[in-house]
Amino acid sequence: KPRLYSGMQPSADSLQIGNYIGALMQWRDLQDSYDAFFSVVDLHALTQPDDPAERREKTRRTAAQYIAAGIEPSRSTLYVQSHVPAHSELAWILSTITGFGEAGRMTQFKDKSARYGADATNVGLFTYPVLMASDILLYQTDIVPVGEDQKQHIELTRDLAERFNSRYGTAFTVPMPVIQKGTARIYDLQNPTAKMSKSAESDAGVLWMLDEPTATAKKIMRAVTDSEGVVRFDRETKPGVSNLLVIYAALSGQQIASIENEYAGRGYGDFKKGLAEVVVSEFEPVRARALELLDDPAELDRVLAHNAGRAAEVADRTLADVYDKIGLLRRG
Ligand code: TYM
């Protein structure tokens, strides 16, 4: 089977609906046709300040949400990034073939460092995409299903793989991004031209997977729309309604045109009520299952430890080959 790799940062207590629609739904659909690896990238999350106990909790919660959303840890290798030391080790090697300017052109780094200012920007944020490349390349990955915002990082990953292979001999598979057209970017409900994000300043426009159903419904009812009053897809002039339509279509499996028809001649209130039902009925079972899994952290830790062993076997093989090819002396 071809290989699939993807991951998410454990940077909040809950995943948000953009993570679910942009990534998790694809992961779940693809996991049977691929030899799939899914990581909770706790080392990446270290680029944001947090309390140590909180970090541990968020890592478990993220893993529990993968499983609750349908990632099967007996078939897919679901593990925690820091449990496999090869990720950090390969990141160092790759950093030595990454240009300073090349890393500086990453838009995510430019956005974040502009937001924090030079003094609050850490070097880890700068090398973040190199660690991400090592995640992907350690596993001889064929495809990486992600949302639109990760595309540039995967292009860098491909460049680094090709560069290493041509300088030192083929050690890496060159991966392809898989980005779902139409749902690759879900927007904030309060600010529908900004990407929905776990690290949004206000949580009023973020639909969390683990929100109480009443909170979800309330946020949807308050979502920003426009004054036209017609349920119609038009990204340019109706970003709010268009975003809600995309969410509705993704979760219900309906075409956008058929949803437009269903709500023709009805107001936004009805449409939002309908959407709230769709979202709540999708997330209710996921939320219940995630909370159940979190009731038994020892069992969850056991599953993660077992899968880390499986991941390390693959990763260590790639790393040993890289060490050899680049000319590090074997310990003997
Ligand atoms: P992260 O944790 O920000 O997001 C996880 C996944 O969710 C997607 N996503 C979205 N999709 C659509 N609309 C949105 N509003 C939205 N917000 C997030 C992201 O594109 C991503 O697929 N750097 C990565 C984590 C990572 C990784 C990797 C991914 C580390 N190593 C290796 C793939 C392969 C990140 O920060 O994702």
Side-chain angles (χ1 to χ4, degrees), residues 8-9 16 18-19 128 132 135 147 149-150 184 186 196 198:
M8 293 194 194
Q9 292 195 71
Q16 40 89 3
N19 302 133
Y128 180 111
M132 179 162 162
D135 298 341
D149 59 346
Q150 298 303 315
I186 302 296
M196 191 185 286
K198 289 191 233 91

Side-chain angles (χ1 to χ4, degrees), residues 5-11 15-24 27 39 41 44 66 81 108 112 128 131-133 135-136 144-151 153-154 183-188 194-198:
Y5 193 96
S6 203
M8 293 194 194
Q9 292 195 71
S11 48
L15 299 176
Q16 40 89 3
I17 200 167
N19 302 133
Y20 185 76
I21 293 176
L24 255 176
W27 298 6
S39 57
V41 295
H44 278 109
Y66 287 5
Q81 184 189 33
Q108 195 157 306
K112 288 198 173 163
Y128 180 111
L131 179 59
M132 179 162 162
D135 298 341
I136 298 167
V144 190
V146 286
E148 169 76 26
D149 59 346
Q150 298 303 315
K151 191 170 172 203
H153 290 161
I154 296 169
T183 56
R185 189 179 282 261
I186 302 296
Y187 295 87
D188 190 285
K195 182 185 78 170
M196 191 185 286
S197 159
K198 289 191 233 91

